[in-house]
Amino acid sequence: MIAAGLDIGGTKIECQVFDAAWTPIARQRCATPDTYPELVSAIADQIAWADAQSGTPLPVGIGAAGVFHPQTDLIIAANLAANNMPMPRDIHAAIGRPISYLNDADAFTMSEAVFGAGCAHRTVAAVILGTGLGGGVCIDKRLAGGPSGLAGEFGHIAAPAHVIANYDLPILPCGCGRDGCFESYLSGPGLQKIAQIIAGLDLTPTNIAQRRTGDMHRVWTAWCAIAAELIQTLTLTIDPDVIVLGGGLSQIDGLANELMHAAQTIQIGTFPHPPVVCAEGGDASGARGAAYAAWQAQTNE
Ligand SMILES: [Zn+2]
């Protein structure tokens, strides 16, 4: 056995142990506790279980919602009992060795870049369209990041005003405290909001997608036009070889092709955008990406 990964969500913690071929050979789930001491202790128990599977302490990676603040060691995660707590440090203290701590978007990016839809490419950008808008960048199988810990937080780049104005949309407030972020429009709740504003209807993202060639056409076109601007922004900043889509909205039939087409209509001259593809990792993604990052940190691969 080579490494263990923990995927910590708002409702469950899943621990997976991987063999040398990166196949999960054992997995265990528990509910996510809602107090901080119980959360740390549940994570320590899972790691002890993983060590027992292999008979030796494994490199451990944790992928969890929220952002790790590198200057203060605190986790900023609204939906975990660890908000504003130094969780990586406390887990280290509880198990007696350091772990690799990634946000779930970075764990997903790593998994797709190494094992999934981005594995044949050098620079992989991931965009996760769900209740929020997460992202990450992997270059040569390594996560890109720096001193702020905010690399890949594409959701909090401002959407271009001309596109918002074209569709008579308001500048929507964002959960990060700023206004007009891509996340406010492109997340599932953002798409629902656009439907409320343009069509006056309360629909789920799935309903909106189903009706996109009918009465939701303008709503859908507005959403795709904003998404195309995000693709343009990624091309202009990191010029990825591929953009991998994840999250609930990526399940919408044909979405990757539609976004690629929308992006083509705004490309600069003949300079192309990268292909947009759907993720391949499925459920295992987060834990495997975190485990790989931990293994990489320990072996300097
Ligand atoms: Zn924001």
Side-chain angles (χ1 to χ4, degrees), residues 155-156 174-178 181 183:
H156 303 292
C174 180
C176 74
R178 304 182 72 230
C181 296
E183 176 171 290

Side-chain angles (χ1 to χ4, degrees), residues 168-194:
D168 294 320
L169 293 170
I171 302 296
L172 296 174
C174 180
C176 74
R178 304 182 72 230
D179 294 319
C181 296
F182 274 117
E183 176 171 290
S184 315
Y185 302 92
L186 295 179
S187 62
L191 175 57
Q192 289 175 285
K193 194 97 191 182
I194 296 174

Side-chain angles (χ1 to χ4, degrees), residues 1-4 17-26 54 58 114-115 288 292 295 301:
M1 279 157 260
I2 192 164
V17 181
F18 296 89
D19 67 10
W22 292 98
T23 305
I25 49 168
S54 76
L58 293 168
V114 178
F115 306 106
R288 190 165 56 176
Y292 187 85
W295 174 82
E301 281 293 319

Side-chain angles (χ1 to χ4, degrees), residues 3 15 31 44 57 61 69 78 110 184 192-193 257 265 284 292:
C15 180
H69 194 297
M110 181 62 116
S184 315
Q192 289 175 285
K193 194 97 191 182
N257 278 339
T265 66
Y292 187 85

Side-chain angles (χ1 to χ4, degrees), residues 123-294:
T123 303
V124 178
V127 172
I128 302 150
L129 299 163
T131 52
L133 197 173
V137 179
C138 247
I139 301 171
D140 292 334
K141 317 295 180 202
R142 291 189 170 273
L143 283 167
S148 79
L150 292 176
E153 293 289 331
F154 314 132
H156 303 292
I157 297 171
H162 69 278
V163 181
I164 303 306
N166 271 352
Y167 289 92
D168 294 320
L169 293 170
I171 302 296
L172 296 174
C174 180
C176 74
R178 304 182 72 230
D179 294 319
C181 296
F182 274 117
E183 176 171 290
S184 315
Y185 302 92
L186 295 179
S187 62
L191 175 57
Q192 289 175 285
K193 194 97 191 182
I194 296 174
Q196 284 164 1
I197 295 163
I198 293 181
L201 292 173
D202 274 316
L203 296 170
T204 65
T206 307
N207 289 150
I208 296 165
Q210 282 163 348
R211 291 157 66 165
R212 65 196 194 260
T213 56
D215 62 344
M216 286 299 112
H217 181 69
R218 186 169 168 80
V219 171
W220 186 254
T221 307
W223 188 80
C224 287
I226 299 168
E229 293 292 338
L230 177 59
I231 293 170
Q232 172 91 306
T233 302
L234 293 179
T235 302
L236 293 173
T237 48
I238 51 172
D239 195 12
D241 293 297
V242 66
I243 296 175
V244 181
L245 299 181
L249 272 62
S250 71
Q251 309 290 319
I252 293 169
D253 206 26
L255 182 69
N257 278 339
E258 284 191 54
L259 293 188
M260 220 155 40
H261 181 73
Q264 265 165 16
T265 66
I266 57 161
Q267 77 185 26
I268 297 176
T270 55
F271 291 92
H273 288 296
V276 180
V277 299
C278 285
E280 292 174 356
D283 270 1
S285 248
R288 190 165 56 176
Y292 187 85

